[in-house]
Amino acid sequence: MKRVYIDRIPSTQDFIEDYVKECKKKREDLIIFAEEQTRGRGTKGRSFSSLKGGVYFSFVMFHSNFRVKDVFNITKQFSMAIVKTLYEFGVDAKIKWPNDIYCQDKKICGMLIKNAFDGDYVDYTIAGIGININNPIPDELKDIAISTKEILGKELELDKIYERIVHNINSWKHYGLYADYSLLLGRTIKIIDQKGNEEIDVAEAILPDGRLKLKSNRILTAEEVSIKL
Ligand code: BTN
């Protein structure tokens, strides 16, 4: 996987999306790491705080023979790669369905994953991942976000993290472990729909297609709800 490092950029996600638009025919995987982003993008149109000291990157991965029916395995692969990387640096992490990474019940990493399809196959995936490492957490996020620096009481070397991330996203395909590292399974959770209505239920299972099954038998997709602990 070809790598690009940059100190400051509006958003690595915009960069990689432009790269794919222009160079799709080459089918060459690329990853870009930025030291800081001035317009980091989050899920559901939100912004993503991207101060210096964190790890911010986006990549495109072209697939061959990857069936659409298995598409949630991509989310499992990337989530587990980040969990594994954090463990390698001494940080216990869990996955908050579908692909947020949490430590001590606070968010340490967020992910955007976009798949492009070609018939029954997944053609390529664009993913953007931000991890709180040595960066300060803005005051307004302190109740819900955490960094490795706060957990470990020391700074980590970003270059070493970049190395392990590239290795783990390309090699760690133990999809079965995703449920073992789930933050939500077995827990009582608050489900908030797009109109702001709240319900309490218990997270029971993550289905092979990536939907969340609740104890009440209700089945949720990640797009239609947000979950609070
Ligand atoms: C979320 O949890 O809301 C998703 C956050 C994704 C942030 C990453 S940081 C690297 C890449 N570039 C962006 O602008 N966003 C993603």
Side-chain angles (χ1 to χ4, degrees):
M1 185 178 252
K2 203 167 138 189
R3 301 184 204 180
V4 173
Y5 297 93
I6 195 154
D7 47 4
R8 202 161 191 256
I9 196 169
S11 159
T12 58
Q13 200 71 4
D14 295 344
F15 176 95
I16 213 82
E17 285 177 3
D18 290 346
Y19 165 79
V20 172
K21 260 185 229 147
E22 282 160 31
C23 309
K24 198 160 57 180
K25 287 207 182 85
K26 283 205 281 184
R27 297 188 70 77
E28 194 171 37
D29 293 358
L30 177 75
I31 186 163
I32 173 169
F33 289 97
E35 280 178 28
E36 63 181 318
Q37 300 184 116
T38 52
R39 254 190 301 120
R41 282 160 43 194
T43 47
K44 297 174 178 153
R46 298 188 192 112
S47 62
F48 187 80
S49 169
S50 309
L51 301 172
K52 212 172 159 71
V55 163
Y56 312 107
F57 63 101
S58 297
F59 58 93
V60 57
M61 189 179 273
F62 289 91
H63 306 285
S64 50
N65 292 317
F66 202 111
R67 291 195 167 268
V68 170
K69 70 173 178 51
D70 299 322
V71 70
F72 194 65
N73 283 343
I74 294 169
T75 298
K76 291 181 177 176
Q77 178 181 342
F78 298 162
S79 305
M80 278 312 301
I82 300 303
V83 167
K84 181 167 187 285
T85 304
L86 288 168
Y87 269 83
E88 288 172 352
F89 288 88
V91 175
D92 283 4
K94 290 247 157 54
I95 305 160
K96 178 172 175 265
W97 174 83
N99 53 24
D100 282 341
I101 310 299
Y102 269 55
C103 295
Q104 300 174 4
D105 280 354
K106 291 183 178 180
K107 182 159 161 171
I108 196 158
C109 165
M111 241 178 251
L112 297 172
I113 299 180
K114 202 163 93 182
N115 296 297
F117 303 109
D118 182 9
D120 289 341
Y121 293 89
V122 186
D123 188 19
Y124 61 87
T125 304
I126 292 177
I129 301 180
I131 318 175
N132 296 321
I133 304 290
N134 307 324
N135 53 299
I137 304 291
D139 281 347
E140 66 275 18
L141 297 177
K142 283 219 158 82
D143 288 344
I144 53 169
I146 197 163
S147 66
T148 60
K149 186 175 174 183
E150 289 170 320
I151 294 166
L152 300 172
K154 63 170 187 184
E155 300 215 334
L156 294 175
E157 281 180 54
L158 300 187
D159 287 347
K160 290 193 176 151
I161 299 178
Y162 296 158
E163 277 312 312
R164 294 310 301 163
I165 283 171
V166 172
H167 177 83
N168 288 332
I169 58 175
N170 283 300
S171 64
W172 187 256
K173 293 187 182 163
H174 300 276
Y175 309 133
L177 286 176
Y178 178 87
D180 296 343
Y181 284 89
S182 167
L183 177 73
L184 300 186
L185 290 182
R187 283 179 73 160
T188 301
I189 54 172
K190 190 189 278 179
I191 301 121
I192 306 156
D193 71 15
Q194 283 157 345
K195 289 183 187 149
N197 302 316
E198 297 184 359
E199 262 180 67
I200 303 290
D201 212 317
V202 176
E204 202 175 63
I206 294 157
L207 304 178
D209 64 7
R211 290 178 302 163
L212 179 70
K213 182 173 175 288
L214 304 174
K215 199 165 177 206
S216 64
N217 278 332
R218 216 178 130 198
I219 291 175
L220 305 173
T221 63
E223 294 73 35
E224 65 190 1
V225 292
S226 41
I227 305 284
K228 289 226 165 83
L229 293 165

